[in-house]
Amino acid sequence: MSATGITVMLADDQAMIRDCLRLILEDQPDISVVAEAADGAEAVVLARRLRPDVCLVDIQMPGLDGIEVTRALAGPDVAAPLRVVVVTTFDLDEYVYGALRGGAIGFVLKDVGPDLLVEAVRAAHAGDALISPSLTLRLLRRLSAIAAPATRAPAQPLSDREFEVVRAVARGRTNQEIAAELFISLSTVKGHVSGIMTKLGLRNRVEIVAWAWEHRLVD
């Protein structure tokens, strides 16, 4: 976070949408919009140059679409990935799946309301994942149905406590909620999450959720 708070880049081809998003976000004392892009190529250039804390990216844009922008800024081959939240009007499985597999840390619909949008930005900045509730169950069922668990076995075995944390993360619990449920400190939860990602070779909570569903650890 910069001295001015959480810095955000907006990428959307509609100026009116960018204006609305800016008004919502800059109404918060800890969030400032530092850049706006009207197409995907511009978004990639600005994000790489300015390195905002969070990038809000629309799916359908001229040039590079939102999924291509996400891969360019946060994909598996990116050495220093940025935190991308995809914001769209399109509630389509292929978009959600493509964005999250491309490295997005969140996916929210434009009609979720200002509170959830702000929450998504703060969650992304904190390294947490936020997906619109209406999408979560459908997305995870799809991940579970198409995954191949045998290809993603952990390099090191998880402890019983780490499995408990994985299941809690997969159920959408925040770090604070996990700490309360397991009667452990918040710092201990963060340590477990970090250790889990290291052992599994994952980069964020979305990938922990996907791994849990691939391995049938949640119903």
Side-chain angles (χ1 to χ4, degrees):
M1 187 165 64
S2 72
T4 57
I6 301 171
T7 57
V8 178
M9 181 195 73
L10 304 177
D12 194 296
D13 61 330
Q14 297 185 53
M16 183 175 67
I17 296 296
R18 296 198 306 273
D19 290 343
C20 290
L21 294 174
R22 176 186 282 273
L23 285 172
I24 291 169
L25 296 175
E26 294 204 326
D27 191 45
Q28 304 300 312
D30 59 331
I31 299 175
S32 60
V33 175
V34 296
E36 295 186 21
D39 61 64
E42 184 183 17
V44 172
V45 171
L46 285 174
R48 286 175 173 170
R49 177 163 58 87
L50 299 175
R51 298 201 60 83
D53 296 319
V54 179
C55 303
L56 289 185
V57 177
D58 187 31
I59 280 286
Q60 291 198 336
M61 292 186 293
L64 302 177
D65 65 23
I67 293 176
E68 292 172 309
V69 171
T70 299
R71 289 197 195 103
L73 299 179
D77 299 327
V78 178
L82 292 166
R83 288 166 176 165
V84 177
V85 175
V86 172
V87 186
T88 182
T89 55
F90 299 97
D91 178 8
L92 299 175
D93 284 353
E94 58 265 33
Y95 285 163
V96 182
Y97 185 75
L100 296 179
R101 282 305 197 197
I105 198 170
F107 192 107
V108 293
L109 301 178
K110 288 179 181 176
D111 62 1
V112 296
D115 291 343
L116 192 60
L117 180 67
V118 170
E119 186 180 347
V121 169
R122 291 193 176 125
H125 179 255
D128 293 338
L130 192 150
I131 306 169
S132 286
S134 62
L135 305 175
T136 304
L137 185 58
R138 197 176 73 235
L139 167 68
L140 294 178
R141 283 175 175 164
R142 174 171 177 168
L143 286 172
S144 180
I146 69 175
T151 65
R152 302 190 65 187
Q156 303 175 53
L158 300 183
S159 68
D160 290 342
R161 178 63 87 188
E162 286 171 332
F163 272 115
E164 289 179 322
V165 172
V166 167
R167 292 187 183 96
V169 170
R171 294 187 185 102
R173 304 293 194 266
T174 65
N175 285 348
Q176 290 85 351
E177 290 170 337
I178 296 171
E181 287 180 7
L182 300 182
F183 303 101
I184 56 180
S185 69
L186 182 59
S187 62
T188 299
V189 174
K190 292 179 179 178
H192 283 314
V193 171
S194 177
I196 289 163
M197 289 191 290
T198 298
K199 286 184 177 181
L200 299 181
L202 307 177
R203 300 194 303 169
N204 56 50
R205 292 169 78 95
V206 170
E207 293 186 354
I208 292 177
V209 173
W211 188 89
W213 279 76
E214 288 168 2
H215 289 76
R216 311 299 193 266
L217 297 181
V218 286
D219 298 325

